[in-house]
DNA sequence: TTCGGTGCAAAGGGTTTGCAACCTG
DNA sequence: CAGGTTGCAAACCCTTTGCACCGAA
């Protein structure tokens, strides 16, 4: 069993969630397909139901939601679609991403742009979070579209 | 007629869109309610159909989409909801926002965090855009929730 | 054995579509 | 008057819900 999946199942166990075939199948897919890029939830749903025809939307969506609560998965609303990414480390380290518009690939950035000068522009505001993402085409996808 | 609406109708005319009662009603609402904050499209839809019971979803959603194409409106996907904000100046000046999680109020920031150091971390990538938003509670909403 | 997890099927909510009638320019 | 725009109603897609059965611990 890959380390990432073992980590994830430990998180589940620790939080009194049971390890089921369906959850393992979803984790497998996420580790394979969504470790370095965001995958649309609808694609995950379609894939799971193709591979395991009896699996229900119910199971898929509820588990994704639980994975999110546990920090196993990161969810974001990009355009009209919800996408998820497997959280390789569960340390919840603060980081930002470049995201390829074509393939969804993610590149982590070193810096966080939330400087003190910016905070100073928001007197009286209680800041609870922020979002910083860069969009574009990764090198591979540029090559593809040039052909 | 408020200047903002005149500006918007000019954009419409310039692009060969007709000025209809419905579009004016929507612009009015947007100028009133969505000039300094994001408003959920569903709220706009509900309000328009309450004020003008014969107005159809069709009209509302298509017009919002056209307004977006023309730069009259800014759309964003926040969580599960689509929200829109009226673009006060159509100059498409580059700026970022603090957005209040409670009332949707927007405060413009002076700085853009896309530095050269960050770009340098993405060799070979073609950057097409970026997003930087700070979330939290504005002063007014903090006071409300404390009561 | 127990209760959390699942499959099934149906409902729900937001958004889009097709088309005839309408109205702006 | 013509073609863009609208209203109506239904379809659509994604997601959630209710409930009886199942199976991990």
């Amino acid at each position: 069993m890959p380390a990432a999946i073992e980590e994830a199942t430990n998180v589940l166990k620790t939080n009194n969630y049971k390890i089921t075939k369906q959850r393992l199948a979803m984790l497998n897919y996420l580790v394979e397909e969504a470790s370095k890029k965001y995958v649309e939830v609808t694609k995950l749903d379609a894939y799971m139901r193709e591979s395991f025809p009896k699996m229900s939307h119910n199971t898929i969506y509820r588990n994704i939601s639980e994975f999110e609560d546990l920090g196993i998965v990161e969810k974001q609303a990009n355009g009209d679609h919800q996408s998820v990414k497997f959280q390789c480390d569960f340390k919840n380290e603060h980081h930002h991403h470049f995201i390829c518009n074509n393939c969804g690939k993610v590149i982590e950035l070193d810096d966080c742009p939330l400087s003190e000068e910016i905070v100073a522009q928001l007197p009286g505001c209680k800041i609870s979070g922020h979002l910083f993402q860069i969009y574009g085409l990764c090198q591979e996808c540029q090559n593809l579209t040039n052909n």
Side-chain angles (χ1 to χ4, degrees), chain A residues 5 9 19-33 44 47-48 51-52 55 59-60 63 67:
Chain A
I5 293 187
T9 52
I19 311 302
T20 63
K21 292 188 202 79
Q22 292 86 342
R23 284 179 177 156
L24 281 174
M26 289 179 65
L27 288 173
N28 261 303
Y29 177 84
L30 289 167
V31 169
E32 284 299 316
E33 299 297 325
L44 168 88
Y47 176 84
M48 296 310 299
S51 311
F52 308 88
M55 206 173 203
T59 299
I60 294 161
N63 280 342
F67 289 174

Side-chain angles (χ1 to χ4, degrees), chain A residues 54-118:
Chain A
K54 292 195 166 177
M55 206 173 203
S56 69
H57 297 302
N58 188 332
T59 299
I60 294 161
Y61 282 94
R62 192 169 20 69
N63 280 342
I64 279 293
S65 171
E66 289 166 356
F67 289 174
E68 193 189 8
D69 293 341
L70 297 174
I72 294 173
V73 128
E74 243 180 45
K75 198 157 88 175
Q76 74 162 14
N78 216 348
D80 299 337
H81 301 287
Q82 304 268 4
S83 298
V84 283
K85 191 170 89 57
F86 185 75
Q87 268 291 58
C88 300
D89 49 27
F90 302 109
K91 299 161 195 161
N92 265 323
E93 272 176 11
H94 186 75
H95 52 242
H96 300 286
H97 292 150
F98 168 88
I99 301 173
C100 177
N101 285 327
N102 188 242
C103 68
K105 184 165 72 185
V106 159
I107 299 175
E108 291 203 2
L109 302 173
D110 296 338
D111 308 293
C112 172
L114 194 62
S115 62
E116 294 200 358
E117 297 101 65
I118 291 178

